[in-house]
Amino acid sequence: MRYAYRLGKAMMLPVACLPVAGLLLGVGYWLMAYGDGSHPFLAQLMLQAGSVLLNHMSLLFAMGVAAGLADEQDGTATLAAVAAWFVIQHVLTVQNVTILTGGRIDASAFDHTDNQMIGIFCGILGAYCNNTYRKERQNKALWGVSGRRFVVIAAFCYATVCALVLLIVWPYFYHASVYIGTSLVDTKAVGAGVYMFLNRLLIPTGFHHALNSVFWFDLAGISDLENFWYGGGVYGQTGQYMTGFFPVMIFGLPGAAFAMYQTARKEKKKMAGGLLMSAAVCSMLTGVTEPMEFSFMFLAPGLFFLHAFLTGLSGFICALLPFRIGFNFSAGLLDYFMAIHSPMAQNSWLLWPVGIGFFLLYYVVFRFCILRFRLKTPGREEES
């Protein structure tokens, strides 16, 4: 458990970089898709600047986790983690997998190896190699390469072996996610709730993309996202696999942030408030939730499970109600205000009463659990 807390604290470094990137990306999409067209340069600038970190979260987490877990922070662990990340990403490209396996397996699953789980794993690997090998004495068998100089070589070798293991097991995990998604199609509101529960639960692994491809796009003939915007779906049904995210991202997670801020230690409230407020605003406006979720995912994994459950509850309730709304980018206020005029939108005003209810629910649940079980959320971490 202590290692999990240490890992959670290590996550704070990359997480702190994400909220501004999410805000830039959300505003850029809004200007590009819905603005009056008079600011194309500004929109493109924001999109590119905001996408840099969010599109490379896997590498960002590899570097941050390695730096946070290293016993001696001189950059060696971070360099080792980056080396491991590049090995895995390069070996497991779709084209390379096809060559390595002779086309005997479906390589489409390897489109999704650039995810946070791989980044965190590479960060742990880099820190492990740093802590294990940096103090090894000179070894003639290694041609004079030992100590810190051997750390990166060790990470490279370990990552190569891990890539071979992933070559075998990764498609099974990915296609299992697709199978689960297609199995939920005929269960209506229950399926929407289970899908959103699994969507949040799979965030750190990257397998939520497999589920999204089932419900949002044409993998199983649903195309919830495309039909919502192009009017090709069924009114009162289309949008049910997106609607439930809005109350959580706009109201629920800010409620959780408020609870975590209030329960932070007095001497750490300022630090916790800065992190949590920026993450909450990012979630509200753009629907980018990773800054908030990763702030407590590893510090208090039980809370993350509760968050996934409450997201599923939101999906179930919204699917039962005559309430349908969709998004282009993510379920934040920017997309909400643009989607209310879609021909597939239904009773969009229901977001406000449902959302307020989820704000209170998240606040009460998070505050109670943090205090009752003494969970280590931002501002409540153990002193080093």
Side-chain angles (χ1 to χ4, degrees):
M1 184 61 69
R2 181 173 293 274
Y3 186 82
Y5 288 150
R6 190 179 177 191
L7 178 61
K9 290 180 68 175
M11 304 289 287
M12 293 299 99
L13 180 61
V15 165
C17 303
L18 298 178
V20 174
L23 290 173
L24 284 173
L25 196 60
V27 174
Y29 272 115
W30 184 82
L31 288 174
M32 183 67 75
Y34 309 113
D36 59 7
S38 60
H39 304 289
F41 174 81
L42 182 60
Q44 189 64 23
L45 180 64
M46 288 188 169
L47 283 174
Q48 295 305 316
S51 65
V52 168
L53 293 182
L54 292 179
N55 289 346
H56 295 87
M57 283 180 62
S58 178
L59 180 58
L60 189 69
F61 276 96
M63 298 169 67
V65 168
L69 294 179
D71 289 341
E72 298 183 34
Q73 300 179 359
D74 62 355
T76 306
T78 301
L79 184 60
V82 171
W85 184 87
F86 275 117
V87 169
I88 291 177
Q89 296 302 323
H90 183 73
V91 171
L92 298 181
T93 62
V94 172
Q95 181 180 4
N96 203 38
V97 167
T98 303
I99 295 172
L100 290 172
T101 62
R104 290 188 294 272
I105 67 171
D106 179 10
S108 62
F110 294 94
D111 263 333
H112 304 286
T113 55
D114 186 3
N115 59 70
Q116 293 91 317
M117 184 183 74
I118 296 296
I120 294 168
F121 172 76
C122 290
I124 294 173
L125 181 61
Y128 169 78
C129 291
N130 176 78
N131 299 341
T132 303
Y133 297 109
R134 67 176 287 114
K135 293 184 178 180
E136 288 290 325
R137 293 184 177 181
Q138 191 81 5
N139 190 331
K140 293 181 179 180
L142 297 175
W143 295 83
V145 180
S146 59
R148 289 187 301 171
R149 289 169 291 182
F150 184 67
V151 169
V152 177
I153 297 175
F156 182 91
C157 296
Y158 280 120
T160 302
V161 175
C162 292
L164 293 176
V165 174
L166 288 171
L167 183 66
I168 299 171
V169 303
W170 188 266
Y172 292 101
F173 286 111
Y174 180 81
H175 291 299
S177 299
V178 174
Y179 174 77
I180 292 172
T182 53
S183 301
L184 296 174
V185 169
D186 296 326
T187 57
K188 298 182 180 179
V190 173
V194 173
Y195 155 64
M196 292 185 189
F197 166 71
L198 293 175
N199 175 281
R200 292 297 94 183
L201 204 62
L202 293 174
I203 281 288
T205 70
F207 291 129
H208 63 295
H209 291 299
L211 286 178
N212 294 342
S213 65
V214 173
F215 294 98
W216 294 353
F217 305 111
D218 200 32
L219 185 64
I222 301 176
S223 297
D224 204 44
L225 190 152
E226 295 176 356
N227 285 337
F228 181 85
W229 289 102
Y230 297 115
V234 178
Y235 184 76
Q237 178 178 328
T238 298
Q240 66 179 327
Y241 298 113
M242 296 183 286
T243 307
F245 289 113
F246 282 90
V248 171
M249 296 180 181
I250 298 175
F251 293 94
L253 284 175
F258 188 43
M260 288 188 283
Y261 169 74
Q262 284 198 327
T263 55
R265 295 177 180 175
K266 185 176 181 180
E267 66 274 14
K268 291 188 175 183
K269 274 188 179 291
K270 187 176 182 179
M271 178 279 294
L275 172 66
L276 294 170
M277 179 173 290
S278 60
V281 171
C282 181
S283 177
M284 289 176 63
L285 291 182
T286 70
V288 175
T289 60
E290 283 85 355
M292 177 63 70
E293 289 165 333
F294 277 93
S295 71
F296 63 87
M297 182 186 298
F298 290 94
L299 286 173
L303 279 184
F304 184 71
F305 182 85
L306 281 175
H307 162 53
F309 174 78
L310 292 175
T311 303
L313 180 63
S314 174
F316 174 73
I317 292 174
C318 291
L320 284 180
L321 292 172
F323 173 29
R324 299 289 181 267
I325 198 76
F327 48 79
N328 254 328
F329 173 58
S330 193
L333 282 171
L334 294 176
D335 262 318
Y336 171 76
F337 285 117
M338 298 305 114
I340 57 179
H341 299 297
S342 168
M344 291 289 114
Q346 183 182 27
N347 296 326
S348 55
W349 62 270
L350 281 172
L351 169 68
W352 304 99
V354 173
I356 292 171
F358 270 89
F359 178 91
L360 296 174
L361 181 60
Y362 264 81
Y363 172 78
V364 171
V365 169
F366 269 61
R367 183 182 174 88
F368 171 79
C369 290
I370 291 169
L371 296 177
R372 176 66 177 81
F373 301 107
R374 299 181 180 179
L375 300 178
K376 307 301 183 188
T377 49
R380 292 173 58 87
E381 308 97 324
E382 293 177 352
E383 295 293 342
S384 301

